[in-house]
PDB file of all heavy atoms in Angstrom:
ATOM      1  N   ASN A 349      13.523  93.776 -29.880  1.00  0.00           N
ATOM      2  CA  ASN A 349      12.395  94.258 -30.577  1.00  0.00           C
ATOM      3  C   ASN A 349      12.774  95.159 -31.740  1.00  0.00           C
ATOM      4  O   ASN A 349      12.173  96.243 -31.947  1.00  0.00           O
ATOM      5  CB  ASN A 349      11.383  94.969 -29.725  1.00  0.00           C
ATOM      6  CG  ASN A 349      12.046  96.085 -28.843  1.00  0.00           C
ATOM      7  OD1 ASN A 349      13.188  96.478 -29.146  1.00  0.00           O
ATOM      8  ND2 ASN A 349      11.312  96.657 -27.908  1.00  0.00           N
ATOM      9  N   SER A 350      13.778  94.700 -32.463  1.00  0.00           N
ATOM     10  CA  SER A 350      14.215  95.468 -33.668  1.00  0.00           C
ATOM     11  C   SER A 350      13.131  95.574 -34.685  1.00  0.00           C
ATOM     12  O   SER A 350      12.192  94.722 -34.768  1.00  0.00           O
ATOM     13  CB  SER A 350      15.462  94.902 -34.246  1.00  0.00           C
ATOM     14  OG  SER A 350      15.182  93.631 -34.847  1.00  0.00           O
ATOM     15  N   THR A 351      13.278  96.571 -35.550  1.00  0.00           N
ATOM     16  CA  THR A 351      12.295  96.769 -36.669  1.00  0.00           C
ATOM     17  C   THR A 351      12.159  95.489 -37.534  1.00  0.00           C
ATOM     18  O   THR A 351      11.046  95.113 -37.829  1.00  0.00           O
ATOM     19  CB  THR A 351      12.667  97.925 -37.513  1.00  0.00           C
ATOM     20  OG1 THR A 351      12.765  99.129 -36.717  1.00  0.00           O
ATOM     21  CG2 THR A 351      11.724  98.157 -38.671  1.00  0.00           C
ATOM     22  N   ASN A 352      13.268  94.875 -37.824  1.00  0.00           N
ATOM     23  CA  ASN A 352      13.289  93.647 -38.659  1.00  0.00           C
ATOM     24  C   ASN A 352      12.538  92.479 -38.041  1.00  0.00           C
ATOM     25  O   ASN A 352      11.864  91.616 -38.656  1.00  0.00           O
ATOM     26  CB  ASN A 352      14.658  93.171 -39.044  1.00  0.00           C
ATOM     27  CG  ASN A 352      15.284  94.137 -40.073  1.00  0.00           C
ATOM     28  OD1 ASN A 352      14.593  94.810 -40.778  1.00  0.00           O
ATOM     29  ND2 ASN A 352      16.579  94.174 -40.139  1.00  0.00           N
ATOM     30  N   LEU A 353      12.654  92.453 -36.684  1.00  0.00           N
ATOM     31  CA  LEU A 353      11.995  91.396 -35.912  1.00  0.00           C
ATOM     32  C   LEU A 353      10.472  91.587 -35.885  1.00  0.00           C
ATOM     33  O   LEU A 353       9.661  90.633 -35.847  1.00  0.00           O
ATOM     34  CB  LEU A 353      12.588  91.273 -34.513  1.00  0.00           C
ATOM     35  CG  LEU A 353      12.108  90.141 -33.629  1.00  0.00           C
ATOM     36  CD1 LEU A 353      12.348  88.811 -34.307  1.00  0.00           C
ATOM     37  CD2 LEU A 353      12.804  90.111 -32.286  1.00  0.00           C
ATOM     38  N   LEU A 354      10.043  92.895 -35.819  1.00  0.00           N
ATOM     39  CA  LEU A 354       8.631  93.138 -35.692  1.00  0.00           C
ATOM     40  C   LEU A 354       7.859  93.299 -37.001  1.00  0.00           C
ATOM     41  O   LEU A 354       6.669  93.141 -37.017  1.00  0.00           O
ATOM     42  CB  LEU A 354       8.470  94.486 -34.951  1.00  0.00           C
ATOM     43  CG  LEU A 354       9.074  94.524 -33.489  1.00  0.00           C
ATOM     44  CD1 LEU A 354       8.852  95.939 -32.943  1.00  0.00           C
ATOM     45  CD2 LEU A 354       8.469  93.477 -32.664  1.00  0.00           C
ATOM     46  N   ASP A 355       8.608  93.447 -38.125  1.00  0.00           N
ATOM     47  CA  ASP A 355       7.979  93.628 -39.407  1.00  0.00           C
ATOM     48  C   ASP A 355       7.349  92.272 -39.864  1.00  0.00           C
ATOM     49  O   ASP A 355       8.122  91.276 -40.093  1.00  0.00           O
ATOM     50  CB  ASP A 355       8.990  94.060 -40.508  1.00  0.00           C
ATOM     51  CG  ASP A 355       8.372  94.548 -41.764  1.00  0.00           C
ATOM     52  OD1 ASP A 355       7.317  94.004 -42.119  1.00  0.00           O
ATOM     53  OD2 ASP A 355       9.029  95.320 -42.447  1.00  0.00           O
ATOM     54  N   LYS A 356       6.081  92.227 -40.026  1.00  0.00           N
ATOM     55  CA  LYS A 356       5.351  90.976 -40.370  1.00  0.00           C
ATOM     56  C   LYS A 356       5.268  90.735 -41.884  1.00  0.00           C
ATOM     57  O   LYS A 356       4.649  89.671 -42.222  1.00  0.00           O
ATOM     58  CB  LYS A 356       3.967  90.969 -39.718  1.00  0.00           C
ATOM     59  CG  LYS A 356       4.005  90.992 -38.206  1.00  0.00           C
ATOM     60  CD  LYS A 356       2.566  90.886 -37.654  1.00  0.00           C
ATOM     61  CE  LYS A 356       2.569  90.901 -36.132  1.00  0.00           C
ATOM     62  NZ  LYS A 356       3.278  89.689 -35.586  1.00  0.00           N
ATOM     63  N   ASP A 357       5.852  91.564 -42.683  1.00  0.00           N
ATOM     64  CA  ASP A 357       5.671  91.418 -44.130  1.00  0.00           C
ATOM     65  C   ASP A 357       6.997  90.911 -44.797  1.00  0.00           C
ATOM     66  O   ASP A 357       6.919  90.491 -45.972  1.00  0.00           O
ATOM     67  CB  ASP A 357       5.304  92.739 -44.750  1.00  0.00           C
ATOM     68  CG  ASP A 357       3.900  93.178 -44.264  1.00  0.00           C
ATOM     69  OD1 ASP A 357       3.065  92.295 -44.152  1.00  0.00           O
ATOM     70  OD2 ASP A 357       3.717  94.397 -44.058  1.00  0.00           O
ATOM     71  N   LYS A 358       8.093  90.982 -44.133  1.00  0.00           N
ATOM     72  CA  LYS A 358       9.382  90.605 -44.823  1.00  0.00           C
ATOM     73  C   LYS A 358      10.439  90.179 -43.780  1.00  0.00           C
ATOM     74  O   LYS A 358      10.157  90.200 -42.558  1.00  0.00           O
ATOM     75  CB  LYS A 358       9.915  91.773 -45.673  1.00  0.00           C
ATOM     76  CG  LYS A 358      10.177  93.077 -44.872  1.00  0.00           C
ATOM     77  CD  LYS A 358      10.620  94.166 -45.782  1.00  0.00           C
ATOM     78  CE  LYS A 358      10.929  95.479 -45.008  1.00  0.00           C
ATOM     79  NZ  LYS A 358      11.306  96.550 -45.902  1.00  0.00           N
ATOM     80  N   ASN A 359      11.544  89.770 -44.275  1.00  0.00           N
ATOM     81  CA  ASN A 359      12.698  89.350 -43.503  1.00  0.00           C
ATOM     82  C   ASN A 359      12.350  88.257 -42.477  1.00  0.00           C
ATOM     83  O   ASN A 359      12.577  88.364 -41.287  1.00  0.00           O
ATOM     84  CB  ASN A 359      13.318  90.576 -42.756  1.00  0.00           C
ATOM     85  CG  ASN A 359      14.679  90.137 -42.126  1.00  0.00           C
ATOM     86  OD1 ASN A 359      15.357  89.332 -42.580  1.00  0.00           O
ATOM     87  ND2 ASN A 359      15.035  90.873 -41.053  1.00  0.00           N
ATOM     88  N   PHE A 360      11.734  87.176 -42.964  1.00  0.00           N
ATOM     89  CA  PHE A 360      11.389  86.099 -42.115  1.00  0.00           C
ATOM     90  C   PHE A 360      12.613  85.255 -41.668  1.00  0.00           C
ATOM     91  O   PHE A 360      12.485  84.395 -40.765  1.00  0.00           O
ATOM     92  CB  PHE A 360      10.350  85.176 -42.819  1.00  0.00           C
ATOM     93  CG  PHE A 360       8.986  85.842 -42.970  1.00  0.00           C
ATOM     94  CD1 PHE A 360       8.701  86.477 -44.144  1.00  0.00           C
ATOM     95  CD2 PHE A 360       8.070  85.878 -41.928  1.00  0.00           C
ATOM     96  CE1 PHE A 360       7.494  87.129 -44.299  1.00  0.00           C
ATOM     97  CE2 PHE A 360       6.897  86.473 -42.060  1.00  0.00           C
ATOM     98  CZ  PHE A 360       6.562  87.148 -43.273  1.00  0.00           C
TER      99      PHE A 360
END
Side-chain angles (χ1 to χ4, degrees):
N349 53 9
S350 68
T351 301
N352 286 337
L353 186 56
L354 299 179
D355 190 333
K356 294 184 180 295
D357 296 322
K358 59 184 179 181
N359 191 26
F360 292 95

